[in-house]
Amino acid sequence: MSRFTRYAAGLTLLMTAAASSANAQATGELSGNELRQLVNGKTVYLAAPLGGEFPLNYKPDGSVTGDGAAVGLGRFFAARETGRWFMSGNQLCQQFPTWYSGQRLCFNVVKLPNNRIRWTRDNGETGVARLGQ
């Protein structure tokens, strides 16, 4: 690899890293306190892969109720279930009795324009959601 090629590759890598960092700062990954304030007492509508929205109601008492009946999830598992939500550092976590085999799931959240968020689960899955009242 020529010196110019190495230089160009290094410059490209630095520019990509800088753009990625600037994008994270511009969109604003939320702190734990900001995230708690954002979802506490609200309904978050997850965009379902095959259309529709999956509502999760985050109640101030720490309970979260999900209802997948509208998007047809009742044929795969309990359509409606109540679990608990809590913060772990800057991540929003939730755990349901039977959904996901009772496994705790945690998310990083970035606020987007138009009352939307982008979430990234601790296993790398991502998605978008709409914030409701």
Side-chain angles (χ1 to χ4, degrees), residues 45-119:
Y45 296 91
L46 302 177
L50 300 176
E53 293 180 316
F54 183 88
L56 290 166
N57 186 345
Y58 292 89
K59 298 177 184 137
D61 68 1
S63 64
V64 56
T65 300
D67 189 348
V71 291
L73 296 180
R75 49 188 170 195
F76 302 110
F77 55 84
R80 181 180 171 93
E81 187 162 270
T82 297
R84 65 184 187 95
W85 71 275
F86 52 95
M87 303 304 300
S88 178
N90 289 336
Q91 291 188 314
L92 170 65
C93 299
Q94 58 194 31
Q95 188 169 20
F96 291 91
T98 63
W99 287 359
Y100 300 99
S101 301
Q103 179 183 349
R104 177 179 104 159
L105 304 174
C106 295
F107 306 84
N108 289 321
V109 175
V110 174
K111 195 170 183 180
L112 300 173
N114 300 320
N115 223 23
R116 299 181 82 67
I117 59 172
R118 180 177 59 241
W119 53 266

Side-chain angles (χ1 to χ4, degrees), residues 19-31:
S20 176
S21 175
N23 186 40
Q25 289 174 349
T27 56
E29 187 170 297
L30 300 174
S31 72

